[in-house]
Amino acid sequence: QVQLVESGGGLVQAGGSLKLSCAASLSIFSINAMGWYRQAPSKQRELVARFTSGGSTYYADSVKGRFTISRDNAKNTVYLQMNSLKPEDTAVYYCYVRNFDYSDNWGQGTQVTVSS
């Protein structure tokens, strides 16, 4: 069972930046995919960005050009750099891992609030 510890959320004004971190309890190389979902009030959880073990990355259309997912393999940590933040980016952001048996593990979530 992978343990995920998130950090980096907070309150920021529109146009500002935040960087989220997610530290995994095991090697990123033993993970099928890793990334970030978010859930705004009264909305479904949506995939924001992820990378796969094959090296491909995915970004939701709503964040392309503004968000960047990256990783530090030595630290088993994934980051989400969020620039040009908008009020509609306000949500709880969840780090997740998809294992090779297609089971998922989730972080505790971190709140991102963007004020207008």
Side-chain angles (χ1 to χ4, degrees):
Q1 190 82 345
V2 179
Q3 304 298 317
L4 301 171
V5 179
E6 302 164 2
S7 61
L11 172 64
V12 65
Q13 287 189 331
S17 298
L18 284 173
K19 187 174 184 178
L20 306 182
S21 300
C22 176
S25 60
L26 49 68
S27 171
I28 290 177
F29 294 110
S30 63
I31 292 169
N32 190 2
M34 189 168 182
W36 298 87
Y37 274 76
R38 68 185 180 187
Q39 187 166 19
S42 304
K43 292 189 176 181
Q44 288 190 330
R45 193 172 291 192
E46 63 171 346
L47 179 60
V48 177
R50 71 161 180 232
F51 70 84
T52 68
S53 59
S56 63
T57 56
Y58 164 88
Y59 293 96
D61 287 342
S62 58
V63 306
K64 282 181 181 176
R66 301 188 298 120
F67 291 11
T68 303
I69 189 169
S70 63
R71 58 185 175 178
D72 184 331
N73 295 334
K75 296 182 179 180
N76 299 328
T77 299
V78 172
Y79 304 97
L80 186 67
Q81 177 67 48
M82 305 184 293
N83 299 327
S84 302
L85 282 161
K86 304 175 181 180
E88 51 264 44
D89 294 318
T90 295
V92 178
Y93 284 70
Y94 296 91
C95 178
Y96 91 106
V97 158
R98 173 149 294 174
N99 301 295
F100 282 105
D101 65 0
Y102 296 99
S103 62
D104 293 334
N105 299 107
W106 296 89
Q108 78 279 8
T110 186
Q111 177 70 46
V112 171
T113 303
V114 184
S115 62
S116 57

